[in-house]
Amino acid sequence: MKLSELPFRTAATVLAVEDAMPNDAVARRLRELGFVGGEAVEVMAAGPIGAEPLLVQIGFTRFALRRREADRVTVRLPTAIAGGTRHHHEAEPEAVQA
């Protein structure tokens, strides 16, 4: 699953960042920011226009990512959620305040 597809406030784990080309500057920067395999990640909210940008939390730090950047990050849901046993009510998306 892509980070851009992750439901709001759903914990996931980063699997990898995809390189679009050799020496991909965007992929390298995402890794430098902490988007590396095994890190916990959540999409906290989305902006009001076109759901851009996404407010993403990795560890204890929050970043605003464009959807095309979030499309580069592959994540894995915990087994209980991926298996369809999620029981809590999904909150409505929040708007990112400028």
Side-chain angles (χ1 to χ4, degrees):
M1 165 183 276
K2 301 296 182 189
L3 180 58
S4 60
E5 301 166 342
L6 188 65
F8 293 104
R9 305 233 177 210
T10 301
T13 303
V14 174
L15 292 177
V17 174
E18 297 174 11
D19 290 277
M21 63 189 86
N23 298 318
D24 187 341
V26 173
R28 182 176 59 247
R29 183 67 177 142
L30 288 169
R31 290 185 197 100
E32 289 170 352
L33 292 172
F35 292 88
V36 294
E39 287 296 319
V41 66
E42 281 186 58
V43 176
M44 306 304 290
I49 300 173
E52 290 263 0
L54 295 175
L55 177 62
V56 177
Q57 182 165 330
I58 185 109
F60 295 105
T61 306
R62 292 183 177 186
F63 298 99
L65 295 182
R66 295 178 185 101
R67 283 195 174 271
R68 67 177 180 255
E69 294 165 341
D71 281 340
R72 309 283 279 300
V73 181
T74 305
V75 299
R76 179 186 66 226
L77 292 171
T79 306
I81 294 172
T85 59
R86 187 171 182 204
H87 294 290
H88 71 279
H89 176 71
E90 176 124 2
E92 289 294 316
E94 298 176 20
V96 175
Q97 299 297 317

